[in-house]
Amino acid sequence: MNDDEVLVSLREALRSAAPEVKASLTMDSTLADLGIDSIAALEMAGHLENKLSIHFPDDELAQINSIRDFVVLVRRSVPGASP
Amino acid sequence: VTVSRALRDKTYRAYMEFFDLAERKRRWNPFRDIPFDEIDRSKNSEDDAICLETFCGVELYVPDYTANGFNLTRPVFGHAWFQANWGYEESKHALAFRQYLILSGLRTEDEYDAFEQKIIGQVWNLPFTTRRQMTCYGALQEAATFLIYQAQRERAEAGGNHVLDTLFGLISRDEAAHAAFYRQVLEYELEEDREGALRDLAHVVFNFKMPGVGLIPEYDDRLRVNGVGVTPQHFLQRGIFPLLKKVGTSRAELVAALDRARPHAGPAAIAI
């Protein structure tokens, strides 16, 4: 799974968790840029976990501040993907 | 709203345990148990004043919290009586903050009075509408408040301010007890109606705001002062995740409950 594929999944998760967010999601977006905090990001994480059948450790999820952090976490969590 | 006998009985027992423990181990007197006469003014700063004033302001809405709380919980005596004790303890917190602000010289009596008048010029309304949702809110909000006061205590201890260390030690212990009561009642609610309680918990987690938001004057500016609030990350790690674990659920279950509760759009209509 490459970064672009993860970004597509993240955009879907954002649409589902926060449909009111209009800002476009890029690798360099911070959660603050998108107008969400890490609690709202929980919901995004839940959608990603369901879709990709992965599990994020709670303590790592709590540290997420940006989309890049999310991408790194997803890639680390997908079996066989390079971190 | 009908509340089952089982839930009423369990909540009553939880209240009795809360009250018994409070009477035996947790009662304190703001005039005797905090050594205000040992305040060292050189250890105070304007940041301390803003923190204390903000905390005091939040506690000053006790009349609104209790009025709303009583109306919501009156069908469940254990919960309503808890509200009475909770209000007593929170009012004591406001008194302790007020004493420190004035006796330390961080605020004059006139400045404090002006602040208090601004506070009572606003009314706190319930952020959620049902007793069960407010139980979820209580569990989260008390946990967040405990984390904030605990950090203040650590800061006071590190700075050698033993008066504030004592004050925050007493108050944060109360907040921990309040959080534990709400958590216990939430567990009972989950036993009673897991799907409904999870739906409420998810709704509250994803729409949570601290009570001072929109009420305390210059709240956003105050949040920039270190220690006034808790970061979402810290709240997640030390507040939300432990709560979910304690009541026997998970992030995944919470998100699934939220999804099920959401009205889903049907298939897109075909233009004809």
Side-chain angles (χ1 to χ4, degrees), chain B residues 151-214:
Chain B
Q152 288 289 326
R153 184 187 185 182
E154 286 165 8
R155 199 165 80 163
E157 189 182 17
N161 187 336
H162 77 283
V163 183
L164 272 187
D165 181 5
T166 304
L167 185 156
F168 279 112
L170 293 167
I171 292 178
S172 59
R173 195 177 61 180
D174 287 351
E175 303 294 356
H178 300 166
F181 176 85
Y182 282 117
R183 241 185 356 246
Q184 182 70 68
V185 176
L186 178 55
E187 284 185 62
Y188 298 151
E189 296 281 7
L190 284 159
E191 287 167 13
E192 181 92 355
D193 171 11
R194 187 168 184 83
E195 178 63 26
L198 277 174
R199 189 177 59 231
D200 282 351
L201 181 58
H203 177 61
V204 173
V205 165
F206 292 116
N207 293 280
F208 180 83
K209 285 189 178 66
M210 287 298 275
V213 176

Short mmCIF file of all heavy atoms in Angstrom, two decimals, chain B residues 151-214:
data_model
loop_
_atom_site.label_atom_id
_atom_site.label_comp_id
_atom_site.label_asym_id
_atom_site.label_seq_id
_atom_site.Cartn_x
_atom_site.Cartn_y
_atom_site.Cartn_z
N ALA B 151 -2.07 17.96 37.08
CA ALA B 151 -0.91 18.63 36.48
C ALA B 151 -0.56 19.90 37.26
O ALA B 151 0.61 20.23 37.45
CB ALA B 151 -1.21 18.97 35.02
N GLN B 152 -1.59 20.59 37.72
CA GLN B 152 -1.35 21.80 38.54
C GLN B 152 -0.65 21.43 39.84
O GLN B 152 0.23 22.14 40.31
CB GLN B 152 -2.69 22.48 38.86
CG GLN B 152 -3.33 23.17 37.68
CD GLN B 152 -2.59 24.43 37.28
OE1 GLN B 152 -2.05 25.14 38.12
NE2 GLN B 152 -2.55 24.71 35.99
N ARG B 153 -1.07 20.33 40.40
CA ARG B 153 -0.45 19.90 41.66
C ARG B 153 1.03 19.58 41.45
O ARG B 153 1.89 19.97 42.25
CB ARG B 153 -1.18 18.67 42.21
CG ARG B 153 -0.61 18.29 43.54
CD ARG B 153 -1.14 17.01 44.09
NE ARG B 153 -0.60 16.83 45.44
CZ ARG B 153 -0.82 15.79 46.20
NH1 ARG B 153 -1.61 14.84 45.77
NH2 ARG B 153 -0.29 15.70 47.39
N GLU B 154 1.30 18.88 40.36
CA GLU B 154 2.70 18.52 40.07
C GLU B 154 3.53 19.78 39.85
O GLU B 154 4.67 19.88 40.29
CB GLU B 154 2.77 17.61 38.84
CG GLU B 154 2.30 16.19 39.15
CD GLU B 154 2.00 15.37 37.91
OE1 GLU B 154 2.30 15.84 36.79
OE2 GLU B 154 1.45 14.26 38.07
N ARG B 155 2.92 20.76 39.18
CA ARG B 155 3.63 22.02 38.93
C ARG B 155 3.90 22.76 40.24
O ARG B 155 4.98 23.30 40.45
CB ARG B 155 2.79 22.90 37.98
CG ARG B 155 3.60 23.97 37.31
CD ARG B 155 2.86 24.57 36.15
NE ARG B 155 1.87 25.53 36.59
CZ ARG B 155 1.30 26.44 35.80
NH1 ARG B 155 1.63 26.47 34.52
NH2 ARG B 155 0.43 27.29 36.24
N ALA B 156 2.91 22.76 41.11
CA ALA B 156 3.07 23.45 42.40
C ALA B 156 4.15 22.77 43.23
O ALA B 156 4.99 23.43 43.86
CB ALA B 156 1.73 23.45 43.14
N GLU B 157 4.14 21.45 43.20
CA GLU B 157 5.13 20.69 43.96
C GLU B 157 6.53 20.98 43.44
O GLU B 157 7.46 21.25 44.21
CB GLU B 157 4.81 19.20 43.87
CG GLU B 157 5.65 18.34 44.80
CD GLU B 157 5.35 16.86 44.64
OE1 GLU B 157 4.76 16.47 43.61
OE2 GLU B 157 5.74 16.09 45.54
N ALA B 158 6.66 20.96 42.10
CA ALA B 158 7.98 21.22 41.50
C ALA B 158 8.45 22.64 41.80
O ALA B 158 9.64 22.88 41.97
CB ALA B 158 7.90 21.01 39.99
N GLY B 159 7.50 23.58 41.90
CA GLY B 159 7.88 24.97 42.17
C GLY B 159 7.97 25.29 43.65
O GLY B 159 8.18 26.46 44.04
N GLY B 160 7.80 24.29 44.49
CA GLY B 160 7.92 24.50 45.93
C GLY B 160 6.77 25.30 46.53
O GLY B 160 6.91 25.88 47.61
N ASN B 161 5.63 25.33 45.84
CA ASN B 161 4.47 26.06 46.37
C ASN B 161 3.58 25.05 47.12
O ASN B 161 2.67 24.46 46.57
CB ASN B 161 3.69 26.72 45.23
CG ASN B 161 2.58 27.62 45.73
OD1 ASN B 161 2.07 27.44 46.85
ND2 ASN B 161 2.19 28.58 44.92
N HIS B 162 3.87 24.85 48.40
CA HIS B 162 3.19 23.77 49.11
C HIS B 162 1.74 24.11 49.43
O HIS B 162 0.94 23.22 49.68
CB HIS B 162 3.95 23.36 50.37
CG HIS B 162 3.80 24.30 51.52
ND1 HIS B 162 4.47 25.48 51.57
CD2 HIS B 162 3.04 24.22 52.64
CE1 HIS B 162 4.15 26.11 52.69
NE2 HIS B 162 3.27 25.37 53.35
N VAL B 163 1.38 25.41 49.36
CA VAL B 163 -0.02 25.78 49.61
C VAL B 163 -0.88 25.32 48.42
O VAL B 163 -1.90 24.65 48.59
CB VAL B 163 -0.17 27.30 49.84
CG1 VAL B 163 -1.62 27.64 50.16
CG2 VAL B 163 0.75 27.76 50.96
N LEU B 164 -0.41 25.66 47.22
CA LEU B 164 -1.15 25.21 46.04
C LEU B 164 -1.07 23.69 45.88
O LEU B 164 -2.02 23.07 45.42
CB LEU B 164 -0.59 25.88 44.77
CG LEU B 164 -1.18 27.23 44.38
CD1 LEU B 164 -0.65 27.66 43.01
CD2 LEU B 164 -2.70 27.20 44.35
N ASP B 165 0.05 23.13 46.27
CA ASP B 165 0.20 21.67 46.22
C ASP B 165 -0.89 21.03 47.07
O ASP B 165 -1.59 20.10 46.65
CB ASP B 165 1.61 21.33 46.74
CG ASP B 165 1.91 19.84 46.71
OD1 ASP B 165 1.08 19.08 46.21
OD2 ASP B 165 2.98 19.45 47.21
N THR B 166 -1.08 21.55 48.29
CA THR B 166 -2.12 21.02 49.19
C THR B 166 -3.50 21.23 48.59
O THR B 166 -4.34 20.31 48.56
CB THR B 166 -2.05 21.74 50.56
OG1 THR B 166 -0.74 21.59 51.07
CG2 THR B 166 -3.07 21.17 51.53
N LEU B 167 -3.74 22.45 48.11
CA LEU B 167 -5.06 22.79 47.55
C LEU B 167 -5.41 21.85 46.38
O LEU B 167 -6.49 21.24 46.37
CB LEU B 167 -5.03 24.25 47.09
CG LEU B 167 -6.31 24.90 46.58
CD1 LEU B 167 -6.22 26.43 46.76
CD2 LEU B 167 -6.57 24.63 45.12
N PHE B 168 -4.50 21.72 45.45
CA PHE B 168 -4.81 20.87 44.28
C PHE B 168 -4.84 19.38 44.66
O PHE B 168 -5.55 18.61 44.02
CB PHE B 168 -3.82 21.13 43.15
CG PHE B 168 -4.17 22.36 42.36
CD1 PHE B 168 -3.36 23.48 42.39
CD2 PHE B 168 -5.33 22.40 41.59
CE1 PHE B 168 -3.70 24.63 41.68
CE2 PHE B 168 -5.67 23.55 40.88
CZ PHE B 168 -4.86 24.66 40.92
N GLY B 169 -4.09 19.00 45.68
CA GLY B 169 -4.15 17.61 46.13
C GLY B 169 -5.55 17.27 46.63
O GLY B 169 -6.13 16.24 46.27
N LEU B 170 -6.12 18.16 47.45
CA LEU B 170 -7.45 17.91 48.01
C LEU B 170 -8.52 17.94 46.91
O LEU B 170 -9.42 17.09 46.86
CB LEU B 170 -7.78 18.99 49.06
CG LEU B 170 -6.93 18.92 50.34
CD1 LEU B 170 -7.10 20.21 51.16
CD2 LEU B 170 -7.30 17.70 51.17
N ILE B 171 -8.41 18.92 46.04
CA ILE B 171 -9.45 19.08 45.01
C ILE B 171 -9.37 17.97 43.97
O ILE B 171 -10.40 17.43 43.55
CB ILE B 171 -9.34 20.49 44.37
CG1 ILE B 171 -9.72 21.55 45.41
CG2 ILE B 171 -10.21 20.60 43.15
CD1 ILE B 171 -9.62 22.98 44.93
N SER B 172 -8.16 17.62 43.56
CA SER B 172 -8.06 16.59 42.52
C SER B 172 -8.53 15.24 43.05
O SER B 172 -9.08 14.43 42.32
CB SER B 172 -6.66 16.51 41.92
OG SER B 172 -5.72 16.22 42.91
N ARG B 173 -8.35 15.00 44.35
CA ARG B 173 -8.85 13.75 44.94
C ARG B 173 -10.37 13.70 44.85
O ARG B 173 -10.96 12.66 44.57
CB ARG B 173 -8.39 13.68 46.40
CG ARG B 173 -8.51 12.31 47.03
CD ARG B 173 -7.96 12.31 48.43
NE ARG B 173 -8.70 13.25 49.29
CZ ARG B 173 -8.44 13.46 50.57
NH1 ARG B 173 -7.44 12.82 51.15
NH2 ARG B 173 -9.15 14.30 51.29
N ASP B 174 -11.01 14.84 45.09
CA ASP B 174 -12.48 14.90 44.94
C ASP B 174 -12.89 14.59 43.50
O ASP B 174 -13.83 13.84 43.25
CB ASP B 174 -13.02 16.30 45.29
CG ASP B 174 -12.98 16.59 46.78
OD1 ASP B 174 -12.70 15.66 47.57
OD2 ASP B 174 -13.23 17.76 47.15
N GLU B 175 -12.17 15.22 42.56
CA GLU B 175 -12.54 15.03 41.15
C GLU B 175 -12.37 13.57 40.74
O GLU B 175 -13.17 13.04 39.96
CB GLU B 175 -11.69 15.93 40.24
CG GLU B 175 -11.75 17.42 40.55
CD GLU B 175 -13.12 18.06 40.30
OE1 GLU B 175 -14.04 17.37 39.82
OE2 GLU B 175 -13.27 19.26 40.61
N ALA B 176 -11.34 12.92 41.26
CA ALA B 176 -11.14 11.50 40.94
C ALA B 176 -12.32 10.68 41.47
O ALA B 176 -12.79 9.76 40.81
CB ALA B 176 -9.82 11.01 41.54
N ALA B 177 -12.80 11.03 42.66
CA ALA B 177 -13.94 10.31 43.25
C ALA B 177 -15.20 10.55 42.42
O ALA B 177 -16.00 9.63 42.21
CB ALA B 177 -14.15 10.76 44.69
N HIS B 178 -15.38 11.77 41.95
CA HIS B 178 -16.56 12.06 41.11
C HIS B 178 -16.49 11.24 39.81
O HIS B 178 -17.48 10.66 39.38
CB HIS B 178 -16.62 13.55 40.75
CG HIS B 178 -16.71 14.45 41.93
ND1 HIS B 178 -16.49 15.81 41.86
CD2 HIS B 178 -17.02 14.20 43.23
CE1 HIS B 178 -16.64 16.33 43.06
NE2 HIS B 178 -16.95 15.39 43.91
N ALA B 179 -15.31 11.24 39.20
CA ALA B 179 -15.15 10.48 37.94
C ALA B 179 -15.45 9.01 38.17
O ALA B 179 -16.11 8.36 37.36
CB ALA B 179 -13.74 10.66 37.40
N ALA B 180 -15.00 8.48 39.31
CA ALA B 180 -15.21 7.06 39.60
C ALA B 180 -16.70 6.76 39.76
O ALA B 180 -17.18 5.71 39.31
CB ALA B 180 -14.45 6.66 40.87
N PHE B 181 -17.44 7.67 40.39
CA PHE B 181 -18.90 7.44 40.55
C PHE B 181 -19.57 7.40 39.17
O PHE B 181 -20.34 6.48 38.88
CB PHE B 181 -19.53 8.54 41.41
CG PHE B 181 -21.03 8.40 41.52
CD1 PHE B 181 -21.60 7.56 42.48
CD2 PHE B 181 -21.88 9.07 40.65
CE1 PHE B 181 -22.99 7.40 42.56
CE2 PHE B 181 -23.27 8.92 40.72
CZ PHE B 181 -23.82 8.08 41.69
N TYR B 182 -19.28 8.38 38.35
CA TYR B 182 -19.91 8.41 37.02
C TYR B 182 -19.54 7.17 36.21
O TYR B 182 -20.36 6.61 35.49
CB TYR B 182 -19.48 9.66 36.25
CG TYR B 182 -20.21 10.92 36.67
CD1 TYR B 182 -19.53 12.00 37.22
CD2 TYR B 182 -21.58 11.05 36.47
CE1 TYR B 182 -20.20 13.16 37.59
CE2 TYR B 182 -22.26 12.20 36.83
CZ TYR B 182 -21.56 13.25 37.39
OH TYR B 182 -22.23 14.39 37.75
N ARG B 183 -18.29 6.77 36.33
CA ARG B 183 -17.83 5.57 35.61
C ARG B 183 -18.62 4.34 36.07
O ARG B 183 -19.05 3.53 35.26
CB ARG B 183 -16.35 5.35 35.90
CG ARG B 183 -15.49 5.40 34.69
CD ARG B 183 -14.04 5.08 34.93
NE ARG B 183 -13.59 4.84 36.27
CZ ARG B 183 -12.74 5.64 36.92
NH1 ARG B 183 -12.30 6.75 36.35
NH2 ARG B 183 -12.34 5.34 38.14
N GLN B 184 -18.81 4.26 37.38
CA GLN B 184 -19.55 3.12 37.94
C GLN B 184 -20.98 3.10 37.41
O GLN B 184 -21.49 2.06 36.98
CB GLN B 184 -19.55 3.24 39.47
CG GLN B 184 -20.24 2.10 40.19
CD GLN B 184 -19.46 0.80 40.08
OE1 GLN B 184 -18.38 0.68 40.65
NE2 GLN B 184 -19.98 -0.15 39.33
N VAL B 185 -21.62 4.26 37.42
CA VAL B 185 -23.01 4.32 36.94
C VAL B 185 -23.06 4.00 35.44
O VAL B 185 -23.97 3.33 34.97
CB VAL B 185 -23.65 5.69 37.25
CG1 VAL B 185 -25.06 5.78 36.67
CG2 VAL B 185 -23.70 5.91 38.76
N LEU B 186 -22.04 4.45 34.72
CA LEU B 186 -21.99 4.14 33.29
C LEU B 186 -21.89 2.64 33.07
O LEU B 186 -22.51 2.09 32.15
CB LEU B 186 -20.82 4.88 32.64
CG LEU B 186 -20.59 4.64 31.15
CD1 LEU B 186 -21.83 4.93 30.31
CD2 LEU B 186 -19.42 5.50 30.65
N GLU B 187 -21.11 1.97 33.91
CA GLU B 187 -21.04 0.51 33.79
C GLU B 187 -22.41 -0.12 34.00
O GLU B 187 -22.79 -1.05 33.29
CB GLU B 187 -20.05 -0.04 34.83
CG GLU B 187 -18.59 0.17 34.46
CD GLU B 187 -17.64 -0.48 35.45
OE1 GLU B 187 -17.68 -1.73 35.59
OE2 GLU B 187 -16.89 0.25 36.11
N TYR B 188 -23.17 0.40 34.96
CA TYR B 188 -24.53 -0.13 35.19
C TYR B 188 -25.43 0.14 33.99
O TYR B 188 -26.25 -0.69 33.62
CB TYR B 188 -25.15 0.50 36.44
CG TYR B 188 -24.41 0.21 37.72
CD1 TYR B 188 -24.43 1.10 38.79
CD2 TYR B 188 -23.67 -0.98 37.87
CE1 TYR B 188 -23.75 0.84 39.96
CE2 TYR B 188 -22.97 -1.24 39.04
CZ TYR B 188 -23.02 -0.33 40.08
OH TYR B 188 -22.34 -0.59 41.23
N GLU B 189 -25.26 1.32 33.41
CA GLU B 189 -26.08 1.65 32.22
C GLU B 189 -25.75 0.69 31.07
O GLU B 189 -26.63 0.28 30.32
CB GLU B 189 -25.82 3.09 31.78
CG GLU B 189 -26.23 4.17 32.77
CD GLU B 189 -27.73 4.45 32.77
OE1 GLU B 189 -28.49 3.72 32.10
OE2 GLU B 189 -28.13 5.39 33.48
N LEU B 190 -24.47 0.34 30.95
CA LEU B 190 -24.07 -0.59 29.89
C LEU B 190 -24.64 -1.98 30.16
O LEU B 190 -25.03 -2.69 29.23
CB LEU B 190 -22.54 -0.65 29.78
CG LEU B 190 -21.90 0.56 29.09
CD1 LEU B 190 -20.43 0.69 29.46
CD2 LEU B 190 -22.03 0.44 27.56
N GLU B 191 -24.69 -2.37 31.43
CA GLU B 191 -25.29 -3.67 31.76
C GLU B 191 -26.78 -3.67 31.42
O GLU B 191 -27.32 -4.67 30.98
CB GLU B 191 -25.12 -3.95 33.26
CG GLU B 191 -23.70 -4.31 33.67
CD GLU B 191 -23.50 -4.27 35.19
OE1 GLU B 191 -24.51 -4.20 35.93
OE2 GLU B 191 -22.34 -4.29 35.62
N GLU B 192 -27.41 -2.53 31.62
CA GLU B 192 -28.86 -2.41 31.43
C GLU B 192 -29.22 -2.38 29.94
O GLU B 192 -30.18 -3.02 29.51
CB GLU B 192 -29.30 -1.10 32.10
CG GLU B 192 -30.76 -0.79 32.04
CD GLU B 192 -31.50 -1.33 33.26
OE1 GLU B 192 -30.88 -2.02 34.08
OE2 GLU B 192 -32.69 -1.05 33.36
N ASP B 193 -28.50 -1.60 29.16
CA ASP B 193 -28.82 -1.43 27.74
C ASP B 193 -27.52 -1.09 27.02
O ASP B 193 -27.19 0.08 26.82
CB ASP B 193 -29.86 -0.29 27.58
CG ASP B 193 -30.07 0.10 26.12
OD1 ASP B 193 -29.60 -0.62 25.22
OD2 ASP B 193 -30.72 1.15 25.90
N ARG B 194 -26.78 -2.12 26.66
CA ARG B 194 -25.42 -1.90 26.12
C ARG B 194 -25.46 -1.06 24.84
O ARG B 194 -24.70 -0.11 24.70
CB ARG B 194 -24.75 -3.25 25.85
CG ARG B 194 -23.30 -3.08 25.45
CD ARG B 194 -22.52 -4.38 25.47
NE ARG B 194 -21.12 -4.09 25.17
CZ ARG B 194 -20.22 -3.69 26.06
NH1 ARG B 194 -20.58 -3.54 27.32
NH2 ARG B 194 -18.98 -3.43 25.70
N GLU B 195 -26.36 -1.40 23.94
CA GLU B 195 -26.39 -0.70 22.66
C GLU B 195 -26.72 0.79 22.87
O GLU B 195 -26.05 1.67 22.32
CB GLU B 195 -27.44 -1.36 21.74
CG GLU B 195 -27.62 -0.69 20.39
CD GLU B 195 -26.35 -0.73 19.52
OE1 GLU B 195 -25.53 -1.64 19.70
OE2 GLU B 195 -26.20 0.18 18.67
N GLY B 196 -27.74 1.04 23.68
CA GLY B 196 -28.14 2.44 23.91
C GLY B 196 -27.06 3.23 24.64
O GLY B 196 -26.77 4.37 24.29
N ALA B 197 -26.45 2.59 25.63
CA ALA B 197 -25.42 3.30 26.40
C ALA B 197 -24.18 3.55 25.54
O ALA B 197 -23.55 4.62 25.64
CB ALA B 197 -25.06 2.50 27.65
N LEU B 198 -23.83 2.59 24.69
CA LEU B 198 -22.68 2.80 23.80
C LEU B 198 -22.95 3.93 22.81
O LEU B 198 -22.07 4.75 22.52
CB LEU B 198 -22.38 1.52 23.01
CG LEU B 198 -21.55 0.47 23.72
CD1 LEU B 198 -21.47 -0.79 22.87
CD2 LEU B 198 -20.14 0.98 24.02
N ARG B 199 -24.18 3.95 22.32
CA ARG B 199 -24.56 5.02 21.38
C ARG B 199 -24.41 6.39 22.07
O ARG B 199 -23.86 7.32 21.51
CB ARG B 199 -26.01 4.78 20.95
CG ARG B 199 -26.49 5.66 19.82
CD ARG B 199 -27.91 5.30 19.44
NE ARG B 199 -28.83 5.43 20.56
CZ ARG B 199 -29.68 4.48 20.97
NH1 ARG B 199 -29.73 3.31 20.36
NH2 ARG B 199 -30.48 4.69 21.99
N ASP B 200 -24.88 6.47 23.31
CA ASP B 200 -24.77 7.73 24.04
C ASP B 200 -23.31 8.08 24.33
O ASP B 200 -22.90 9.24 24.20
CB ASP B 200 -25.55 7.64 25.36
CG ASP B 200 -27.04 7.80 25.15
OD1 ASP B 200 -27.44 8.15 24.01
OD2 ASP B 200 -27.81 7.57 26.10
N LEU B 201 -22.55 7.07 24.73
CA LEU B 201 -21.14 7.33 25.04
C LEU B 201 -20.41 7.84 23.80
O LEU B 201 -19.64 8.80 23.86
CB LEU B 201 -20.48 6.06 25.59
CG LEU B 201 -19.01 6.17 25.98
CD1 LEU B 201 -18.79 7.24 27.04
CD2 LEU B 201 -18.47 4.83 26.48
N ALA B 202 -20.68 7.20 22.66
CA ALA B 202 -20.03 7.63 21.42
C ALA B 202 -20.44 9.06 21.08
O ALA B 202 -19.59 9.90 20.74
CB ALA B 202 -20.42 6.69 20.28
N HIS B 203 -21.71 9.34 21.21
CA HIS B 203 -22.20 10.69 20.90
C HIS B 203 -21.50 11.73 21.80
O HIS B 203 -21.07 12.79 21.33
CB HIS B 203 -23.71 10.72 21.12
CG HIS B 203 -24.33 12.06 20.92
ND1 HIS B 203 -24.29 12.73 19.72
CD2 HIS B 203 -25.01 12.88 21.78
CE1 HIS B 203 -24.90 13.89 19.85
NE2 HIS B 203 -25.34 14.01 21.08
N VAL B 204 -21.36 11.40 23.06
CA VAL B 204 -20.75 12.36 24.00
C VAL B 204 -19.25 12.50 23.74
O VAL B 204 -18.72 13.62 23.72
CB VAL B 204 -21.04 11.94 25.46
CG1 VAL B 204 -20.26 12.81 26.44
CG2 VAL B 204 -22.53 12.02 25.75
N VAL B 205 -18.57 11.37 23.52
CA VAL B 205 -17.11 11.44 23.26
C VAL B 205 -16.83 12.33 22.06
O VAL B 205 -15.95 13.20 22.09
CB VAL B 205 -16.53 10.02 23.03
CG1 VAL B 205 -15.13 10.11 22.41
CG2 VAL B 205 -16.45 9.25 24.33
N PHE B 206 -17.61 12.14 20.99
CA PHE B 206 -17.30 12.87 19.76
C PHE B 206 -17.88 14.29 19.72
O PHE B 206 -17.66 15.02 18.76
CB PHE B 206 -17.75 12.05 18.54
CG PHE B 206 -16.93 10.80 18.37
CD1 PHE B 206 -17.51 9.55 18.49
CD2 PHE B 206 -15.56 10.88 18.15
CE1 PHE B 206 -16.74 8.39 18.36
CE2 PHE B 206 -14.79 9.73 18.02
CZ PHE B 206 -15.38 8.47 18.13
N ASN B 207 -18.61 14.65 20.75
CA ASN B 207 -19.14 16.03 20.81
C ASN B 207 -18.77 16.70 22.13
O ASN B 207 -19.41 17.66 22.54
CB ASN B 207 -20.67 16.01 20.67
CG ASN B 207 -21.08 15.56 19.28
OD1 ASN B 207 -21.05 16.34 18.34
ND2 ASN B 207 -21.44 14.29 19.15
N PHE B 208 -17.72 16.20 22.75
CA PHE B 208 -17.36 16.66 24.09
C PHE B 208 -16.72 18.06 24.08
O PHE B 208 -15.85 18.34 23.27
CB PHE B 208 -16.38 15.67 24.72
CG PHE B 208 -15.95 16.05 26.11
CD1 PHE B 208 -16.74 15.74 27.18
CD2 PHE B 208 -14.77 16.75 26.31
CE1 PHE B 208 -16.36 16.10 28.48
CE2 PHE B 208 -14.37 17.12 27.58
CZ PHE B 208 -15.17 16.79 28.67
N LYS B 209 -17.19 18.89 24.99
CA LYS B 209 -16.53 20.18 25.24
C LYS B 209 -16.50 20.40 26.74
O LYS B 209 -17.45 20.02 27.44
CB LYS B 209 -17.33 21.33 24.61
CG LYS B 209 -17.21 21.42 23.11
CD LYS B 209 -17.87 22.72 22.62
CE LYS B 209 -17.75 22.90 21.12
NZ LYS B 209 -18.48 21.89 20.34
N MET B 210 -15.46 21.03 27.23
CA MET B 210 -15.40 21.33 28.66
C MET B 210 -16.46 22.38 28.99
O MET B 210 -16.84 23.19 28.13
CB MET B 210 -14.00 21.84 29.03
CG MET B 210 -12.95 20.75 29.03
SD MET B 210 -13.27 19.44 30.25
CE MET B 210 -12.54 20.15 31.74
N PRO B 211 -16.93 22.40 30.25
CA PRO B 211 -18.06 23.29 30.58
C PRO B 211 -17.75 24.77 30.43
O PRO B 211 -18.67 25.58 30.24
CB PRO B 211 -18.38 22.94 32.04
CG PRO B 211 -17.25 22.12 32.54
CD PRO B 211 -16.58 21.51 31.36
N GLY B 212 -16.48 25.15 30.50
CA GLY B 212 -16.15 26.58 30.42
C GLY B 212 -16.25 27.16 29.01
O GLY B 212 -16.28 28.38 28.84
N VAL B 213 -16.30 26.27 28.01
CA VAL B 213 -16.32 26.74 26.61
C VAL B 213 -17.57 27.60 26.37
O VAL B 213 -18.69 27.18 26.64
CB VAL B 213 -16.32 25.55 25.62
CG1 VAL B 213 -16.43 26.04 24.18
CG2 VAL B 213 -15.06 24.72 25.80
N GLY B 214 -17.34 28.81 25.89
CA GLY B 214 -18.46 29.69 25.58
C GLY B 214 -19.04 30.41 26.80
O GLY B 214 -19.95 31.22 26.66
#
